[in-house]
Every structure is written in C-alpha cells, then in structure tokens.
Amino acid sequence: MDPTTDNAGQTGDPGTARDALEALRAEIAKAVVGQDPAVTGLVVALLCRGHVLLEGVPGVAKTLLVRALASALELDTKRVQFTPDLMPSDVTGSLVYDTRSSEFSFQPGPVFTNLLLADEINRTPPKTQSSLLEAMEERQVTVDGTPRRLPDPFLVAATQNPVEYEGTYPLPEAQLDRFLLKLTIPLPSRQDEIDVLTRHAEGFDPRDLHAAGVRPVAGPADLEAARAAVAKTTISAEITAYVVDICRATRESPSLTLGVSPRGATALLSTARAWAWLTGRDYVIPDDVKALALPTLRHRVQLRPEAEMEGVTADSVINAILAHVPVPR
C-alpha cells in the first residue's frame, strides 16, 4: 500500500484533511482527464453527506470517475446496473431461508457500501428507483419491518444519459430533490481528448486503476475531520438571506412551473459552506453561493413547456436570477 495511506486521516487535523482532499484531484487525474469540477462536486457531496446525479452522454468516464474517487479515498464501492427487470431487493437485499437452521437470514444488497454507483438509474421502473429513497434520506434500509443502518460515509452517485429517452423512466421531482447535486459531465476539450487517446495508446487500462497509479491519499478519518471543520464555518445572516432570496426568486420566475423548495435552500447553504472551507476560508461569501448554485439547484426546478420550446434551460434561468438578486455587501 502507498505510504500516503498510513499518513492520511490519522491526525484528524482540519488542515491536513483539507490538503488530503485537495490531493484527490491530482490522484484522480491519473485515471480521468479534465473533470475537476465533477471531482470537486463529489467531494462537496461527501462533506455534506449528500448524493450526486451525474448526467452525461455515454463514454465520458462517469463510471471511471466514481471508481477512481473510491480508490483515492480508500472507500468501499459497489456498482449496480439499473435495468427494467431490476427488483428493489436486488438493491437493498432480502431475507433468505436457511434450510440448515430453518430460519430466515438477511443478505445485504449492494446498497450496503460507502459509495454506490447507480448506473443508468433512469432505465429502471419507479418501483426500483424508489428503493433508494429511504437509503438516501434516512441512511438505512428497512426489510421485513427491521431497519438496518448503512455504513458511514455513504454516497449514491447515480448516472443518467441526457439524450436517450426510449426505454427510460424519468426520475420524479420528489426523488430528484433527494440528490444534493446534479453534475453535468461534458465532452472533453480537444486537448483533453488527445491526452485520453495518448494514455490508451501507452497502455492505460481503465479497469485496472492500481496499474494506473491511483493510490489512497485520504481516508474516512480525513473526511470526518473535514466535516467537523465545515460545520464550524461561519454563515452570516446576510448570506442566509441571500440564499433565501435566490430560492424564492425561482418560485416567482415566469419560466418555471416549479421553484426551489426549502430543502433546496438548505442544500445550497450547505454546499456553499463546504466549498468555502475547501477553498481555505472559515466563512462563507456570496461567491461561494454563486459557485454552487447551478449544480445544487438545476434539478430542483421545472421549466414551463413554452419556455422549453423557446430554448430556455434551467441553467439559464438560474444564471439570470443570480444576475438580478442583490448581492450582500
């Protein structure tokens, strides 16, 4: 094991934890090229105990990104390929009859992990999609009336394809609201794509992260120390009011049929706080709120059909609101 593993997370010092989490970018870059914003979003979600919806066309390394993060953080990870015939028990686990003991025993499903990759979550029916709701919100799974706690940290990273709708089941607003962030994974730039092809030509195998040099640079203790430090990051009354004004403006927008709920406002305050700490401050400024507004709010609003036909997007509406809501001094 890499010696950095032994040092990572042993002191519980916030400064050391910040350095370790910052080192994730360089470590993940050994496997994934040009996705720094998505890496940062995943780290913010871990700090806020939230979940992430990754949206991007096939082949932009969404799955590889999650696997690389788990390897660099020394977390247990499991992957579930969501398909139309997937049952809720395939995710949560089920009771299995043991003929030797003549008793039922619980067999945990893949949700009992630190980082669950829910691949193509919109390809499974709502019944199976909803099996994740309790896990995401309550951090537990109830089978046969018995609640079972999930490990900590626990993060669901769900992927979906934004351009293919045949045979899919769009996530309902109630479930979308359970995701802390919605991160869009763009196609790489020309130079990044050249770098990707060069790595593959030199023998890079995305199935073997160890051979690619990805090593644990942080651990659960670092994450716990970081969460404690984030909780102490100061939020002024002006910043709180600024977040509320942004969210209330979405409810009054003529382009939207659904604005951001109070849960969304709480989420924006949390993500801005985590981002402030990651950038080295112990207080939140308006720029922190602006930096996290799009990924935190874009999936919590619903466009009017006529606005959508005119080419309006959730991102453009939120950007317009950010431009008009007065910024506290």
Side-chain angles (χ1 to χ4, degrees):
M1 183 175 288
D2 191 280
T4 54
T5 307
D6 297 331
N7 297 329
Q10 297 304 311
T11 63
D13 176 68
T16 304
R18 184 188 288 114
D19 293 341
L21 293 178
E22 281 294 322
L24 283 174
R25 295 186 184 186
E27 202 63 24
I28 293 174
K30 295 176 181 178
V32 182
V33 177
Q35 296 294 355
D36 277 357
V39 174
T40 301
L42 286 165
V43 173
V44 166
L46 282 166
L47 291 176
C48 299
R49 291 182 168 88
H51 308 285
V52 175
L53 182 62
L54 299 169
E55 187 174 85
V57 298
V60 290
K62 299 186 294 293
T63 302
L64 180 60
L65 174 63
V66 176
R67 289 178 50 237
L69 175 69
S71 295
L73 267 176
E74 203 175 17
L75 296 177
D76 180 48
T77 181
K78 289 186 174 68
R79 176 178 177 271
V80 178
Q81 182 66 47
F82 280 72
T83 56
D85 60 346
L86 195 73
M87 298 297 291
S89 59
D90 295 329
V91 178
T92 60
S94 58
L95 294 175
V96 177
Y97 185 72
D98 188 341
T99 56
R100 291 173 297 180
S101 63
S102 298
E103 293 180 348
F104 285 94
S105 61
F106 178 68
Q107 296 297 318
V111 75
F112 286 85
T113 186
N114 296 124
L115 208 165
L116 176 68
L117 175 59
D119 221 350
E120 295 188 294
I121 190 172
N122 58 334
R123 286 206 171 277
T124 201
K127 181 179 180 179
T128 305
Q129 289 176 5
S130 65
S131 67
L132 281 175
L133 288 178
E134 182 186 14
M136 293 170 68
E137 191 70 18
E138 306 296 334
R139 310 290 165 143
Q140 68 178 27
V141 168
T142 301
V143 177
D144 196 35
T146 303
R148 293 172 171 86
R149 298 297 301 174
L150 295 171
D152 185 43
F154 172 69
L155 179 142
V156 174
T159 70
Q160 67 177 14
N161 182 346
V163 296
E164 191 175 3
Y165 296 103
E166 187 175 348
T168 63
Y169 304 84
L171 294 174
E173 282 70 26
Q175 185 157 357
L176 282 172
D177 206 38
R178 296 296 199 284
F179 286 97
L180 181 73
L181 300 172
K182 179 182 178 182
L183 304 175
T184 55
I185 310 297
L187 288 166
S189 66
R190 181 176 182 273
Q191 186 56 53
D192 284 343
E193 195 163 1
I194 290 173
D195 291 344
V196 170
L197 267 62
T198 301
R199 290 187 182 190
H200 279 265
E202 293 172 349
F204 171 71
D205 184 357
R207 291 172 291 274
D208 190 353
L209 294 178
H210 186 78
V214 179
R215 301 289 185 271
V217 294
D222 287 306
L223 204 52
E224 201 55 44
R227 286 172 171 175
V230 168
K232 296 177 182 176
T233 302
T234 304
I235 303 173
S236 68
E238 291 77 13
I239 293 295
T240 301
Y242 181 51
V243 169
V244 169
D245 289 342
I246 290 171
C247 294
R248 291 182 68 85
T250 65
R251 301 168 203 162
E252 299 166 0
S253 170
S255 299
L256 301 176
T257 58
L258 179 69
V260 177
S261 68
R263 178 192 286 154
T266 302
L268 181 55
L269 201 64
S270 298
T271 55
R273 196 181 211 179
W275 175 245
W277 180 81
L278 277 173
T279 53
R281 278 179 281 100
D282 60 357
Y283 56 92
V284 180
I285 62 175
D287 283 349
D288 299 325
V289 177
K290 289 182 177 181
L292 272 297
L294 284 180
T296 308
L297 303 182
R298 59 163 59 108
H299 56 297
R300 303 175 193 271
V301 300
Q302 191 173 56
L303 289 167
R304 291 188 181 278
E306 55 269 29
E308 202 166 0
M309 290 176 63
E310 293 172 2
V312 176
T313 65
D315 284 12
S316 64
V317 172
I318 294 169
N319 279 327
I321 288 171
L322 291 174
H324 286 90
V325 172
V327 179
R329 299 292 180 184

